[in-house]
Amino acid sequence: MPTATESSPPAGAPCYGLDIGGTKIELVAFDGGAPGFAELYRRRVATPTQDFEAFVEAIAELVTEADRALGCIGRVGLGLPGIISPQTGLQLSSNVPALSGRAVPQALRERLGRPVAIGNDCQCFALSEAQGGAAEGFASMFGAILGTGAGGGFCVQGRLIAGYNGLAGEWGHWALPALLQQRHRLPLLACACGLQSCVERYVSGSGLAALFQHFGGPAGQSVPEIVAAADAGEAHARQALAVHLDLLGHALAGLIMAYDPHVLVLGGGLSKLQSLYTDLPEAIRPHLFQGVSVPPILPPRFGDAGGARGAALLARQRLS
């Protein structure tokens, strides 16, 4: 794998935010010197989830193409799935297994020939929505992603709170409570993180598909297909959506009691379901004790670009 001689991009250079997901890598470039942080360029490719060198090369090609298109050397920030151990510096990632056990920041810095700002992808989403996004003006916010997996980030006064291990916001790896497992007669599913019955195995987009199959629906159905089937009156789809809403309501109630955010902002593919914004408050209330109010639940202002924008904001803050 070739390496480049390291050099720091100039102050005011464009900021590249790379959002790393279980299915795609998206690079979005922003004007790092403009107050409005205007978007300049974007491109996405499939994520090499099993081959680390292929992953590094995919990042390098995206960055090189952006440099060429914009005629500059940009500042690079990445939102990676999983966490980096503060003790070893090695990555743990369930959605992109190729990253686990690797010193990702060092490999990318050497390959790109420039400093790199690294953050958790879900936390980058939250940071984007806290600064100029749907949560702008709120004293605190929780950004909850519901996509391939489930994760999030917590911000106070626009500042990301990552925590001692960088884990703040990892609600997707709380365990499904026995109360709900018994109520809905659900299987106990192993999670790629090494734990058992993590919430994301049930409330993410793939979790909804698994619920649909568990209740008798055909395998391989997408979320839009399940929603369409429920709208048409299909019993398995309606049951899967009802159980999913109860599980998600319980999980978000836990977030409210743990963090007490002034607003919840949803992200990921499921955030596009308009029914969630009308149905979730009532699904959350039964899981809260008396006197606790449900905060506003809002769609993201930046949609699928939130993670990339947050990573670019991270680059602007750390690499100025």
Side-chain angles (χ1 to χ4, degrees), residues 204-221:
S204 62
S206 57
L208 176 56
L211 288 174
F212 179 55
Q213 184 178 356
H214 171 69
F215 290 124
Q221 298 295 291

Side-chain angles (χ1 to χ4, degrees), residues 18 20 55 59 76-84 91 103-109 112 115-121 123-124 160 310-311 314-315 318-319:
L18 288 102
I20 315 298
F55 173 84
I59 297 293
V76 178
L78 283 91
L80 292 176
I83 63 168
I84 296 176
Q91 184 80 21
V104 179
Q106 179 180 347
L108 290 175
R109 185 172 63 248
L112 296 175
V116 177
I118 302 281
N120 175 278
D121 58 339
Q123 293 174 346
C124 286
L160 183 68
L314 205 63
R318 294 184 181 177
L319 305 179

Side-chain angles (χ1 to χ4, degrees), residues 165-199:
N165 289 291
L167 282 173
E170 282 288 357
W171 66 283
H173 295 283
W174 295 349
L176 180 73
L179 171 69
L180 296 183
Q181 188 268 333
Q182 294 175 8
R183 175 187 298 172
H184 300 299
R185 300 179 183 274
L186 297 174
L188 298 179
L189 304 174
C191 182
C193 75
L195 298 175
Q196 185 82 359
S197 300
C198 290
V199 167

